[in-house]
């Protein structure tokens, strides 16, 4: 990308299929410095919501440094440039700006809200946090203490134990197989140099995704992007490779003294760019994702009162894909809940969905989709997520057509391929009656 | 330096627009209060119906009945089968749910704006025509028991909080948990649910809030059509609960559970709430919570406990003035490794004493005022959030005028007001202090 390239408004102006006066116009903006972003301009409220992602996230921890990216990210707001942690927070609060830094297995995220009134100052401050974090010794120790407390709390949380156990069994040594915030030992051992290294590995120009929504023009956004990102390193650590799924069917019980067992279950899923993804999505909506209307909710909760909530969801990540679910039932009822869930897996794999179910789910999914775009903050989040998934802006116009194109036969075929009752694995944390770890 | 910064802030405060909220309010002849919030940015509408009844209005021995009834409201009417309500909402691309608090029970749907009439039709239907099958009631009671397992029995922090509230409110029913005590949930019946329903679910005990891509006139016409025909209750009880007497002695409790991963100290003081036409003290306490325990570096407790001395890894303060009767002002300190709960509490008390002596940094106070005002701008982004703000306030005894006055009342708060409120509330004789910890014998074990 040429440094001298002018802001290209890209000609690509798209309209979400909504009543005309509420249509959402997505513009692709490229800054003079070559950073791309998507913009929905809306001058109703005098602020802008900005969402930034750096692909890679906690999966870019250096070998032996588990938790470095998580701790580094938490320190971005703890002092930058000439400002120590107190001064930084004071400067931010004086502008009434909001910056949230987060990290996940696939990305490092920045969510910002800035008033139009003082946006330039807020952007300058955010730039400092991204470019010049100080990692002062006292701040490192303070935040390290918070991370360690969180790790200790997770260690006695049955839901967390279940999810961590499933991940470990599924992905082993791949970063997806361990807690992104690290262990007490790994976090305790991190040095300031490790944090500087984690920063260099993750925050780089070749992995940036940006979306903005609100009171800002394309020209202003272009300038903002260069203020934020000019001077960041071109590249960081190489992205991780594919994670091999290594778990077979069965049950793993983790004994934990608590009245209600929590189960996480699942097996391999489907990548977001798979041609059958929409059929799988529709199938799972009927199976376990559709609020009170899903088969799992009706069978496990509605008919039998075995749980307060049971869900299944497609979980495509950058380097693996899962079909996951969760349920919690009293220790003397969890075995029955699991039996019902298995039966539903078998039934769906064999029969697919009914014509009525397919029609209902299509109506719901296509009707609900435009309702998501109901504010600057949600719009910016959706737009940055689309970019991370490799979708085009035009997706907002074609998505409902793709849902409508799914046929009964598609769902039956994909259910038969995707759902594998004999590979379904349940990790159960609690004192479940009548359940034991299988081999 | 200070003078320059203050001048700069003053400029910003002038420059931030005060925005017309575009809110209309009216009352139908049968007593249903209606609030309409227009926001035409997206073709979405949120309908919320709030009943002025919650867990603090339950008959003795029937704790959990308000919440149980909330579940049962999805179990059918004369014309709708069990579950059909949510099925209709979903078939129209919408989502729906409900929630219960001590002071209110609320039901909501979020749908495309052109489906509002249908949503009103089915919501009005279940306001008057609930029909329950005995077996559905028993199955749903099991669901509620699993909900209690999930939210409370499986979470030592939630059990601790339940015990603390029970210690705080010795006379007022705020001391019972919203979901109910387990032994009382187990005994709740269909008759209990229907009694409660007949007594409290009526248009003259409800508030309809509609927010989104609608006009007040259109909402009025639809509301007249669907809700206007419902008869008001003639026997609605006056909303009078046993009030909490002044607390005269400090209360303390220690809750030990091997499932505690991270011990902490939590203290709540009995505190005044927002009252109609009298929200000034609550506004001052809203500032006090931010000043003492807002985000990290800029708060008094963060400064003294996490920065000056590394006694704590986390500290915060919380206060919610939306409450029909006396509310609480809370403080939390999570000690750093090697610091006992006794030491953490002592450090908290020392920090509070210093604060009461030193007062408030004027620059930080002006910053906070600016942030309160900016929060009003950011809040405009969420239609559902704005609907909740009105519904919760009206169900908690406030008026539309009180809601609209609140931002200006916040802007009028002075540091002196905050210090006066702090001196009045921050008294241990007026508080419950709780320690959440692991039992002594398991503290040395490695957590699993």
């Amino acid at each position: 990308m040429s440094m001298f390239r002018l802001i290209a408004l890209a000609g690509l102006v798209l309209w979400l299929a909504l009543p005309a006066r509420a249509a959402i116009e997505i513009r692709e903006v490229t800054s003079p410095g070559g950073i791309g972003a998507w913009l929905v301009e809306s001058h109703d409220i005098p602020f802008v919501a900005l969402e930034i992602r750096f692909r890679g996230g906690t999966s870019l921890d250096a070998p032996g440094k588990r938790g470095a990216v998580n701790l580094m990210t938490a320190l971005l707001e703890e002092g930058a440039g000439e400002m120590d942690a107190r001064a930084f927070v004071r400067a931010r609060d004086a502008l009434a700006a909001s910056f949230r830094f987060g990290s996940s297995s696939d990305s490092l995220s920045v969510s910002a809200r800035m008033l139009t009134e003082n946006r330039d100052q807020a952007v300058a401050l955010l730039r400092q946090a991204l470019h010049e974090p100080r990692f002062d010794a006292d701040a490192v120790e303070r935040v390290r203490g918070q991370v360690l407390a969180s790790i200790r709390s997770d260690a006695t949380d049955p839901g967390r134990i279940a999810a961590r156990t499933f991940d470990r069994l599924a992905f082993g040594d791949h970063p997806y197989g361990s807690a992104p915030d690290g262990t007490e030992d790994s976090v305790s051992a991190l040095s300031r140099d490790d944090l500087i290294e984690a920063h260099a590995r993750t925050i780089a120009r070749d992995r940036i995704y940006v979306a903005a929504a609100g009171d800002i023009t394309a020209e202003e956004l272009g300038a903002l992007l260069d203020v934020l990102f000019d001077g960041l390193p071109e590249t960081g650590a190489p992205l991780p490779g594919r994670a091999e799924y290594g778990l077979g069917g069965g049950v793993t019980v983790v004994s934990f003294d608590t009245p209600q067992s929590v189960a996480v279950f699942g097996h391999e899923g489907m990548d977001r760019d798979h041609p059958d993804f929409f059929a799988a999505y529709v199938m799972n909506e009927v199976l376990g994702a559709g609020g009170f209307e899903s088969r799992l909710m009706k069978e496990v909760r509605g008919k039998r009162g075995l749980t307060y909530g049971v869900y299944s969801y497609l979980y495509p990540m950058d380097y693996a894909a899962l079909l996951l679910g969760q349920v919690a039932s009293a220790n003397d009822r969890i075995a029955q809940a699991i039996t019902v869930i298995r039966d539903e897996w078998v039934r769906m794999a064999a029969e697919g969905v009914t014509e009525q179910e397919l029609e209902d789910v299509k109506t719901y999914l296509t009707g609900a989709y435009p309702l998501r775009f109901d504010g600057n903050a949600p719009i910016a989040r959706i737009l940055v997520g689309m970019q991370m998934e490799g979708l085009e802006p035009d997706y907002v116009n074609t998505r409902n057509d793709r849902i409508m194109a799914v046929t009964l036969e598609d769902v039956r075929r994909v259910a038969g391929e995707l759902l594998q009752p004999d590979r379904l694995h349940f990790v159960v944390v609690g004192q479940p009656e009548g359940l034991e770890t299988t081999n | 330096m200070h003078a320059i910064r203050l001048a700069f802030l003053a400029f910003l405060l002038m420059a931030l627009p005060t925005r017309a909220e575009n809110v209309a309010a009216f009352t139908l002849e049968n007593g249903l209060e209606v609030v309409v919030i227009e926001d035409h940015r997206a073709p979405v509408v949120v309908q919320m119906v709030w009943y002025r009844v919650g867990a603090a209005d339950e008959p003795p021995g029937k704790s959990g009945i308000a919440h149980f009834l909330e579940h049962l409201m999805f179990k059918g009417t004369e014309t709708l089968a069990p579950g059909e309500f949510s099925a209709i909402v979903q078939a129209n691309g919408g989502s729906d749910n409900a929630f219960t608090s001590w002071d209110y029970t609320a039901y909501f749907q979020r749908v495309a704006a052109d489906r509002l009439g249908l949503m009103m039709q089915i919501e009005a239907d279940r306001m008057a025509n609930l029909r329950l099958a005995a077996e559905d009631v028993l199955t749903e009671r099991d669901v509620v028991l699993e909900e209690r397992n999930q939210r409370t029995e499986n979470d030592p922090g939630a059990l601790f909080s339940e015990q603390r509230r029970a210690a705080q409110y010795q006379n007022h029913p705020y001391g019972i948990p919203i979901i109910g005590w387990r032994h009382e949930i187990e005994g709740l019946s269909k008759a209990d649910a229907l009694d409660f329903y007949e007594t409290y679910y009526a248009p003259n005990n409800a508030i309809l809030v509609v927010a989104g891509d609608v006009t007040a006139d259109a909402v009025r016409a639809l509301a007249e059509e669907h809700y206007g025909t419902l008869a008001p209750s003639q026997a609605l009880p006056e909303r009078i609960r046993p009030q909490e007497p002044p607390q005269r002695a400090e209360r303390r409790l220690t809750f030990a559970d091997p499932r505690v991963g991270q011990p902490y100290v939590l203290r709540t003081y009995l505190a005044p709430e927002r009252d109609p036409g009298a929200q000034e003290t609550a506004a001052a306490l809203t500032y006090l919570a931010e000043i003492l325990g807002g985000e990290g570096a800029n708060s008094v407790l963060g400064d003294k406990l996490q920065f000056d001395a590394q006694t704590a890894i986390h500290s915060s303060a919380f206060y919610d003035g939306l409450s029909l009767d006396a509310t609480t002002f809370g403080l939390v300190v999570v000690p750093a490794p090697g610091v006992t709960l006794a030491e953490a509490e002592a450090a908290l008390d020392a920090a509070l004493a210093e604060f009461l002596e030193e007062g408030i940094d004027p620059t930080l106070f002006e910053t906070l005022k600016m942030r309160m005002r900016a929060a009003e701008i950011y809040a405009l982004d969420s239609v559902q959030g704005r609907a909740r703000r009105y519904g919760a306030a009206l169900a908690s005894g406030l008026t539309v005028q009180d809601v609209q006055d609140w931002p200006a009342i916040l802007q009028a708060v002075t540091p002196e007001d905050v210090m006066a409120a702090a001196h009045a509330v921050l008294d241990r004789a007026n508080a419950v202090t709780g320690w959440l910890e692991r039992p002594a014998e398991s503290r040395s074990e490695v957590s699993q």
Side-chain angles (χ1 to χ4, degrees), chain A residues 292 301, chain B residues 64-77 80-85 98 100 105 107 126 129-144 147 188-197 201:
Chain A
F292 294 116
R301 172 174 158 154
Chain B
I65 193 64
H67 170 259
F68 187 32
L69 174 61
E70 176 227 296
H71 277 236
L72 295 173
M73 287 290 283
F74 295 84
K75 293 298 175 186
T77 66
L80 291 185
E84 198 176 348
F85 187 101
T100 307
T105 313
Y107 301 81
R126 70 174 169 181
N129 303 313
L130 184 67
R131 292 294 175 273
L132 297 174
E135 65 272 22
D136 288 341
V137 173
L138 291 180
T139 306
E140 199 60 25
R141 198 173 64 189
D142 283 343
V143 170
V144 171
E147 182 179 358
L188 294 177
S189 69
K190 175 179 162 181
D192 293 331
L194 289 176
D195 281 351
F196 201 73
Y197 174 74
Y201 280 48

Side-chain angles (χ1 to χ4, degrees), chain A residues 402-419:
Chain A
R402 295 186 214 194
I403 296 279
M404 292 309 290
V406 173
T407 67
L408 209 52
E409 184 41 42
D410 291 337
V411 175
R412 195 190 315 273
R413 176 178 53 79
V414 171
E417 291 165 8
L418 182 62
L419 298 176

